[in-house]
Amino acid sequence: MSAPSNLWIADITLLCVAFVWGSSYITAKTVLQNYEPFMFLFYRFTITVLLMLPFVWKHLLGASMETWITGAIFGVFLFAIFSFETWGIDYTSASNSAFIISLTLILTPIMEWIINKKFTGNLFFLAVGLSIIGTGLLTFKDTFSLNFGDILILVAAFLRATQMTFTKRLTDGKILDNSALTIIQLAVVAILAGIINISFEHSTLFIIPKSTEFWLLTIYLALFCTIFAFYAQMVFIRKTSPSRVGLLMGMEPVFGALFSVVVGGEYLSFLNWTGGICIVVATFLGRQLLDRNKRLKTSI
């Protein structure tokens, strides 16, 4: 197969990842209208683990202690991220959730600057400025304010940035099995979600949902938004250029907003759409900064 053909397939696949991730916000919000957040997380990640297990169980059995420990640490991070993100979606619009979570790509260079003392250049200030303006316009209703759900989503974005910043430190010098590492993380999320549900959500974990909609939407999230998206990124993200990846994956919040408006019936004013576009541009710049940092590290 020719190189241009490979590039085209990679681009389409990554655009599909952005598409399904964009759909995840209104999908999760629909489920959360009738079910508790941690019960939903338990079923979503339990289904994901069960679907993956037949393909990776050999890796899991042969995994080193380092892989188990690192996977457990990443799992706690992932649980915190999804907890705040899911809780936030329950309290704000799906469109706000999609745009605000994408600020991870702005917060990550900030975290690297604070923790690793690595300044990313003047482009960084433009990206931060655009993200602040965009968030203000996105959340503008009758006044400029972040609601409780917006703040929770912003915390989730901050946690994602923290995880991205510390990932290299936690994996440097370690021989890790990526397949085992992934399923351990997901299993930790399922276990912790079950524990929180039993402790704080009136044990709804033991009330098996009878709704067909619940199972269809939860399986969709597990199969497409987790397993497919993870595999597609792992395989195809290296087959195209960083700038194209940034452009394609930057479409996630746009798809999220479109799904929210078309499927969820949400309303976004001209100012809200302008704010969302500012955030998309800012996150694209943020991805360029991250890619440039990686290239600098490899050239040293």
Side-chain angles (χ1 to χ4, degrees), residues 74-86 155-156 159 189 192:
F74 284 170
V76 173
F77 260 113
L78 198 62
F79 171 71
I81 291 165
F82 273 98
S83 295
F84 279 100
E85 187 176 318
T86 305
V155 172
L159 288 171
V189 176
L192 292 178

Side-chain angles (χ1 to χ4, degrees), residues 125-194:
F125 292 108
L126 175 60
V128 171
L130 272 175
S131 67
I132 293 171
I133 293 169
T135 302
L137 293 176
L138 175 68
T139 57
F140 180 81
K141 303 305 176 189
D142 296 319
T143 184
F144 291 101
S145 64
L146 291 172
N147 64 37
F148 181 56
D150 294 334
I151 293 171
L152 292 174
I153 298 293
L154 195 56
V155 172
F158 173 78
L159 288 171
R160 281 183 184 270
T162 304
Q163 182 194 38
M164 290 175 69
T165 304
F166 280 101
T167 293
K168 182 170 174 54
R169 287 192 181 186
L170 291 171
T171 56
D172 261 358
K174 296 179 180 178
I175 301 174
L176 304 171
D177 186 309
N178 288 329
S179 296
L181 190 67
T182 301
I183 199 166
I184 290 167
Q185 296 181 64
L186 300 177
V188 168
V189 176
I191 291 167
L192 292 178

